[in-house]
Structures are given as structure tokens and as C-alpha cells.
Amino acid sequence: MSDSNENAASPAAAIGGRRGLMLILSSPSGAGKSTLARLLLEQNPDIYLSVSVTTRGRRPSEVEGVHYHFLTRERFERLRDAGDLLEWAEVHGNFYGTPREPVEAALSAGRDVLFDIDYQGAEQLYEKMRQDIVGVFILPPSAAELKTRLERRAEDASGVIEKRLRNARTEIAHWRDYNYVLVNADLNSTFANLRNILLAERLRRERQPGLEPVIERLDHELAELAE
Ligand code: ADP
Ligand code: 5GP
């Protein structure tokens, strides 16, 4: 799928270049953020996906280095204690964290970075880098649908699913921390809304640092026309 509007706002096409933005997706487990992230990356290969480190066991469908870097608790703690994680949190009984270096490199190179992290991680990033962040919270349309999605995904044991459903209320309570909230009932509509958010955020005045010379030139041309 290609979209000329979207391309017009991509980093490569941005006038004068800019620092990348940080698009954070959070939701209770099963609401659909990984699905939305995958669709967005398919359509925008220029976006860098931040691959987290975790102490959680690998799911059957997951690939080391693609979905996560799966680490022992000792290795995780070493990275964390060395300051190599931009943020980290304990979620559903496991540790998760964002490796610092690849994110900073991508942002400096003008690439937008996508994060699939929980509210605790989002809070830490908002504190450190608020002006770079576009936070989107994804809600399920109902509790029954959330349960159905977790069961249909069929990648977690039933005890794990119950724990995730129990934690959903705590997670949803943080909806106000985010810039945008999407109710993911119909996947196509939610995805269209997410794309529109990204498009608008890329076009924010403060994200177009190269505008000044354009304005100056226009002003100069208009002054000449008026002579
Ligand atoms: P999360 O990453 O938030 O835990 P997933 O993206 O893994 O959630 O989605 C959980 C399950 O729900 C997956 O099987 C996915 O295909 C499905 N799903 C996601 N969005 C929708 C939707 N709008 N309608 C129906 N099913 C959905
Ligand atoms: P899952 O085990 O389903 O992949 O992820 C569980 C939760 O951990 C999700 O809410 C996911 O967004 C969150 N998560 C994944 N990676 C990170 C991370 O690096 N930091 C934080 N804080 N949360 C993460």
C-alpha cells in the first residue's frame, strides 16, 4: 500500500530534515497494539521499531532479535545497572526494557521510532523526552472482546491470560497519560486513525525545522512582486 500524502510527511521528504519522533503504543494485553504496530511498519519501512529486552519466555511465534531480545534476569540487570536502558519496568511478573543506543541513533538520523511498551515505560520516556513523544493508548471495545482476543491469540497459558486480564484495569487507569486514545473495535478504522495521527504529528510546525528558509524566500519573492 502506498500513500502519497504519507510520503509527503516522511522524514526523507521533510523540509530541511528533523529529529525523529517517538510513537508509543500502549494498551492492556490483547487490545491489539502489536497488530497495529506490524501494520504500521509494513506500510512505513522507514520507521524504526525499538526491540525491547525481556526476561519473559519466548512465545512459539516469536523470533529472538525481531520481537524481543530474550535475556536471563542476570543479563537484564547488568544492562539496566550499566545505564544501557532508556526505561524499564516489571510487567506481569517479568522485566522489560528499551535499549538506549539504537533509539538515540535512529532519532538523531531523523527516523521515527515505534515503541510497544507499558504505561510505566511511557511515563519514564514522557519525563525524559516529552517533546519527542506521541503517545497512543489503545482500548479494547469491551472486556469480553479483550478476553476473546487473548484466548484467540492462543500463545499464552490460561493462568497467564487470567493474570493479564486482572492487570487490565490498572493499565487502563493510565489512559489520561497519553496524547491520543483509540478504541480498537474495527481494526481497519483503528489503523486508519493511527496513520492519521502519525501524519499530523510529522507535520507539526516544530517538527519542520527547515521551514524558516522557505518562509524567508516566500517573503522575499512576495516583496519583489509588490515592487
Ligand atoms: P497486544 O499486542 O495488544 O497484546 P495483539 O496485537 O497481539 O495484542 O492482538 C491480540 C489478538 O487480537 C490477536 O490475535 C489479533 O489478531 C487480534 N486483534 C487485534 N485487533 C483486533 C480487532 N480490531 N478486531 C479483532 N481482533 C483483533
Ligand atoms: P508481552 O509479554 O505481551 O509481549 O508484553 C507485555 C507488556 O509489556 C505489554 O504491555 C508491552 O507493551 C510491555 N512491554 C514490552 N516491552 C517493553 C519495554 O521495553 N518496556 C516497558 N516498560 N514495557 C514493555
Side-chain angles (χ1 to χ4, degrees), residues 53-55 71-85 88 90 95-96:
V53 290
T54 183
T55 61
L71 303 184
T72 60
R73 188 133 177 172
E74 293 70 41
R75 276 200 67 199
F76 185 99
E77 284 172 350
R78 246 184 284 141
L79 279 183
R80 182 195 61 190
D81 297 345
D84 290 342
L85 301 180
W88 71 276
E90 185 173 347
F95 285 176
Y96 296 81

mmCIF file of all heavy atoms in Angstrom, residues 53-55 71-85 88 90 95-96:
data_model
loop_
_atom_site.group_PDB
_atom_site.id
_atom_site.type_symbol
_atom_site.label_atom_id
_atom_site.label_comp_id
_atom_site.label_asym_id
_atom_site.label_seq_id
_atom_site.Cartn_x
_atom_site.Cartn_y
_atom_site.Cartn_z
ATOM 1 N N VAL A 53 14.290 -5.579 25.417
ATOM 2 C CA VAL A 53 14.847 -6.767 26.079
ATOM 3 C C VAL A 53 13.818 -7.227 27.107
ATOM 4 O O VAL A 53 13.080 -6.417 27.665
ATOM 5 C CB VAL A 53 16.202 -6.452 26.778
ATOM 6 C CG1 VAL A 53 17.286 -6.203 25.755
ATOM 7 C CG2 VAL A 53 16.090 -5.261 27.723
ATOM 8 N N THR A 54 13.733 -8.527 27.320
ATOM 9 C CA THR A 54 12.792 -9.041 28.312
ATOM 10 C C THR A 54 13.305 -10.321 28.959
ATOM 11 O O THR A 54 14.081 -11.060 28.339
ATOM 12 C CB THR A 54 11.398 -9.329 27.693
ATOM 13 O OG1 THR A 54 10.511 -9.768 28.730
ATOM 14 C CG2 THR A 54 11.442 -10.405 26.620
ATOM 15 N N THR A 55 12.818 -10.533 30.176
ATOM 16 C CA THR A 55 13.129 -11.804 30.854
ATOM 17 C C THR A 55 11.988 -12.802 30.647
ATOM 18 O O THR A 55 12.050 -13.918 31.149
ATOM 19 C CB THR A 55 13.340 -11.577 32.368
ATOM 20 O OG1 THR A 55 12.135 -11.037 32.925
ATOM 21 C CG2 THR A 55 14.493 -10.630 32.629
ATOM 22 N N LEU A 71 16.394 -12.350 27.450
ATOM 23 C CA LEU A 71 17.577 -12.366 28.317
ATOM 24 C C LEU A 71 17.289 -13.074 29.635
ATOM 25 O O LEU A 71 16.141 -13.133 30.082
ATOM 26 C CB LEU A 71 18.005 -10.930 28.677
ATOM 27 C CG LEU A 71 18.324 -9.939 27.565
ATOM 28 C CD1 LEU A 71 18.823 -8.632 28.179
ATOM 29 C CD2 LEU A 71 19.369 -10.494 26.617
ATOM 30 N N THR A 72 18.355 -13.559 30.267
ATOM 31 C CA THR A 72 18.217 -14.030 31.644
ATOM 32 C C THR A 72 18.077 -12.792 32.531
ATOM 33 O O THR A 72 18.418 -11.675 32.128
ATOM 34 C CB THR A 72 19.482 -14.784 32.100
ATOM 35 O OG1 THR A 72 20.584 -13.867 32.014
ATOM 36 C CG2 THR A 72 19.744 -16.016 31.242
ATOM 37 N N ARG A 73 17.596 -13.028 33.727
ATOM 38 C CA ARG A 73 17.445 -11.931 34.683
ATOM 39 C C ARG A 73 18.804 -11.265 34.981
ATOM 40 O O ARG A 73 18.898 -10.042 35.095
ATOM 41 C CB ARG A 73 16.849 -12.497 35.969
ATOM 42 C CG ARG A 73 16.479 -11.448 36.959
ATOM 43 C CD ARG A 73 15.109 -11.720 37.471
ATOM 44 N NE ARG A 73 14.778 -10.736 38.488
ATOM 45 C CZ ARG A 73 13.587 -10.615 39.009
ATOM 46 N NH1 ARG A 73 12.627 -11.409 38.642
ATOM 47 N NH2 ARG A 73 13.340 -9.707 39.921
ATOM 48 N N GLU A 74 19.856 -12.076 35.048
ATOM 49 C CA GLU A 74 21.197 -11.532 35.344
ATOM 50 C C GLU A 74 21.646 -10.584 34.237
ATOM 51 O O GLU A 74 22.142 -9.496 34.507
ATOM 52 C CB GLU A 74 22.244 -12.665 35.485
ATOM 53 C CG GLU A 74 22.052 -13.577 36.686
ATOM 54 C CD GLU A 74 20.821 -14.478 36.552
ATOM 55 O OE1 GLU A 74 20.578 -15.005 35.434
ATOM 56 O OE2 GLU A 74 20.077 -14.630 37.544
ATOM 57 N N ARG A 75 21.471 -11.003 32.996
ATOM 58 C CA ARG A 75 21.909 -10.152 31.876
ATOM 59 C C ARG A 75 21.082 -8.873 31.825
ATOM 60 O O ARG A 75 21.595 -7.789 31.544
ATOM 61 C CB ARG A 75 21.799 -10.893 30.545
ATOM 62 C CG ARG A 75 23.015 -11.763 30.267
ATOM 63 C CD ARG A 75 23.118 -12.097 28.794
ATOM 64 N NE ARG A 75 23.398 -10.940 27.959
ATOM 65 C CZ ARG A 75 23.183 -10.896 26.638
ATOM 66 N NH1 ARG A 75 22.686 -11.950 26.021
ATOM 67 N NH2 ARG A 75 23.463 -9.818 25.936
ATOM 68 N N PHE A 76 19.771 -9.022 32.098
ATOM 69 C CA PHE A 76 18.901 -7.846 32.110
ATOM 70 C C PHE A 76 19.405 -6.852 33.162
ATOM 71 O O PHE A 76 19.548 -5.660 32.897
ATOM 72 C CB PHE A 76 17.455 -8.254 32.406
ATOM 73 C CG PHE A 76 16.482 -7.104 32.324
ATOM 74 C CD1 PHE A 76 15.709 -6.911 31.189
ATOM 75 C CD2 PHE A 76 16.353 -6.201 33.386
ATOM 76 C CE1 PHE A 76 14.825 -5.836 31.099
ATOM 77 C CE2 PHE A 76 15.481 -5.120 33.304
ATOM 78 C CZ PHE A 76 14.710 -4.943 32.163
ATOM 79 N N GLU A 77 19.687 -7.371 34.359
ATOM 80 C CA GLU A 77 20.102 -6.476 35.455
ATOM 81 C C GLU A 77 21.434 -5.809 35.160
ATOM 82 O O GLU A 77 21.658 -4.653 35.519
ATOM 83 C CB GLU A 77 20.154 -7.263 36.770
ATOM 84 C CG GLU A 77 18.738 -7.508 37.285
ATOM 85 C CD GLU A 77 18.654 -8.443 38.484
ATOM 86 O OE1 GLU A 77 19.677 -9.079 38.829
ATOM 87 O OE2 GLU A 77 17.568 -8.544 39.062
ATOM 88 N N ARG A 78 22.314 -6.533 34.460
ATOM 89 C CA ARG A 78 23.609 -5.930 34.087
ATOM 90 C C ARG A 78 23.403 -4.752 33.138
ATOM 91 O O ARG A 78 23.996 -3.697 33.319
ATOM 92 C CB ARG A 78 24.526 -6.985 33.453
ATOM 93 C CG ARG A 78 25.764 -7.254 34.337
ATOM 94 C CD ARG A 78 26.713 -8.221 33.676
ATOM 95 N NE ARG A 78 26.211 -9.586 33.765
ATOM 96 C CZ ARG A 78 26.305 -10.500 32.800
ATOM 97 N NH1 ARG A 78 26.859 -10.198 31.634
ATOM 98 N NH2 ARG A 78 25.851 -11.716 32.975
ATOM 99 N N LEU A 79 22.534 -4.955 32.127
ATOM 100 C CA LEU A 79 22.250 -3.866 31.168
ATOM 101 C C LEU A 79 21.645 -2.667 31.889
ATOM 102 O O LEU A 79 22.038 -1.521 31.691
ATOM 103 C CB LEU A 79 21.250 -4.326 30.112
ATOM 104 C CG LEU A 79 21.733 -5.137 28.924
ATOM 105 C CD1 LEU A 79 20.557 -5.418 27.988
ATOM 106 C CD2 LEU A 79 22.809 -4.364 28.155
ATOM 107 N N ARG A 80 20.652 -2.965 32.721
ATOM 108 C CA ARG A 80 19.955 -1.904 33.459
ATOM 109 C C ARG A 80 20.929 -1.136 34.342
ATOM 110 O O ARG A 80 20.967 0.087 34.337
ATOM 111 C CB ARG A 80 18.855 -2.539 34.315
ATOM 112 C CG ARG A 80 18.026 -1.565 35.098
ATOM 113 C CD ARG A 80 17.228 -2.258 36.170
ATOM 114 N NE ARG A 80 18.085 -2.931 37.136
ATOM 115 C CZ ARG A 80 17.656 -3.766 38.073
ATOM 116 N NH1 ARG A 80 16.375 -4.059 38.155
ATOM 117 N NH2 ARG A 80 18.493 -4.330 38.921
ATOM 118 N N ASP A 81 21.777 -1.878 35.084
ATOM 119 C CA ASP A 81 22.668 -1.221 36.042
ATOM 120 C C ASP A 81 23.779 -0.436 35.344
ATOM 121 O O ASP A 81 24.342 0.491 35.910
ATOM 122 C CB ASP A 81 23.241 -2.252 37.028
ATOM 123 C CG ASP A 81 22.125 -2.883 37.867
ATOM 124 O OD1 ASP A 81 20.997 -2.322 37.871
ATOM 125 O OD2 ASP A 81 22.355 -3.935 38.486
ATOM 126 N N ALA A 82 24.075 -0.812 34.089
ATOM 127 C CA ALA A 82 25.090 -0.073 33.329
ATOM 128 C C ALA A 82 24.494 1.180 32.681
ATOM 129 O O ALA A 82 25.194 1.939 32.014
ATOM 130 C CB ALA A 82 25.693 -0.988 32.266
ATOM 131 N N GLY A 83 23.180 1.396 32.848
ATOM 132 C CA GLY A 83 22.539 2.581 32.262
ATOM 133 C C GLY A 83 22.256 2.416 30.777
ATOM 134 O O GLY A 83 22.052 3.399 30.056
ATOM 135 N N ASP A 84 22.236 1.165 30.307
ATOM 136 C CA ASP A 84 22.040 0.943 28.871
ATOM 137 C C ASP A 84 20.573 0.887 28.467
ATOM 138 O O ASP A 84 20.263 0.678 27.291
ATOM 139 C CB ASP A 84 22.724 -0.378 28.441
ATOM 140 C CG ASP A 84 24.241 -0.258 28.490
ATOM 141 O OD1 ASP A 84 24.734 0.893 28.506
ATOM 142 O OD2 ASP A 84 24.933 -1.296 28.518
ATOM 143 N N LEU A 85 19.655 1.035 29.451
ATOM 144 C CA LEU A 85 18.228 1.019 29.116
ATOM 145 C C LEU A 85 17.642 2.424 29.283
ATOM 146 O O LEU A 85 17.893 3.096 30.290
ATOM 147 C CB LEU A 85 17.474 0.027 30.015
ATOM 148 C CG LEU A 85 17.951 -1.422 29.940
ATOM 149 C CD1 LEU A 85 17.119 -2.315 30.871
ATOM 150 C CD2 LEU A 85 17.896 -1.960 28.512
ATOM 151 N N TRP A 88 12.751 1.024 31.895
ATOM 152 C CA TRP A 88 12.486 -0.397 32.131
ATOM 153 C C TRP A 88 11.371 -0.508 33.160
ATOM 154 O O TRP A 88 11.090 0.445 33.902
ATOM 155 C CB TRP A 88 13.747 -1.135 32.627
ATOM 156 C CG TRP A 88 14.140 -0.757 34.028
ATOM 157 C CD1 TRP A 88 14.886 0.331 34.392
ATOM 158 C CD2 TRP A 88 13.780 -1.434 35.226
ATOM 159 N NE1 TRP A 88 14.999 0.377 35.749
ATOM 160 C CE2 TRP A 88 14.342 -0.701 36.288
ATOM 161 C CE3 TRP A 88 13.045 -2.596 35.511
ATOM 162 C CZ2 TRP A 88 14.189 -1.090 37.626
ATOM 163 C CZ3 TRP A 88 12.895 -2.980 36.844
ATOM 164 C CH2 TRP A 88 13.469 -2.228 37.874
ATOM 165 N N GLU A 90 8.775 -3.697 35.467
ATOM 166 C CA GLU A 90 8.298 -5.066 35.670
ATOM 167 C C GLU A 90 6.833 -5.105 35.233
ATOM 168 O O GLU A 90 6.027 -4.301 35.696
ATOM 169 C CB GLU A 90 8.434 -5.461 37.136
ATOM 170 C CG GLU A 90 8.068 -6.910 37.360
ATOM 171 C CD GLU A 90 8.350 -7.398 38.778
ATOM 172 O OE1 GLU A 90 9.054 -6.700 39.534
ATOM 173 O OE2 GLU A 90 7.843 -8.484 39.111
ATOM 174 N N PHE A 95 10.573 -8.715 33.564
ATOM 175 C CA PHE A 95 11.220 -7.424 33.319
ATOM 176 C C PHE A 95 11.256 -7.136 31.823
ATOM 177 O O PHE A 95 11.493 -8.043 31.010
ATOM 178 C CB PHE A 95 12.664 -7.450 33.840
ATOM 179 C CG PHE A 95 12.791 -7.361 35.331
ATOM 180 C CD1 PHE A 95 14.038 -7.457 35.942
ATOM 181 C CD2 PHE A 95 11.680 -7.181 36.141
ATOM 182 C CE1 PHE A 95 14.166 -7.384 37.323
ATOM 183 C CE2 PHE A 95 11.793 -7.101 37.520
ATOM 184 C CZ PHE A 95 13.046 -7.200 38.113
ATOM 185 N N TYR A 96 11.022 -5.875 31.485
ATOM 186 C CA TYR A 96 11.086 -5.425 30.098
ATOM 187 C C TYR A 96 11.854 -4.109 30.067
ATOM 188 O O TYR A 96 11.708 -3.292 30.983
ATOM 189 C CB TYR A 96 9.687 -5.141 29.531
ATOM 190 C CG TYR A 96 8.757 -6.326 29.430
ATOM 191 C CD1 TYR A 96 8.049 -6.775 30.543
ATOM 192 C CD2 TYR A 96 8.569 -6.983 28.224
ATOM 193 C CE1 TYR A 96 7.181 -7.852 30.448
ATOM 194 C CE2 TYR A 96 7.691 -8.059 28.115
ATOM 195 C CZ TYR A 96 7.006 -8.482 29.227
ATOM 196 O OH TYR A 96 6.145 -9.547 29.139
#
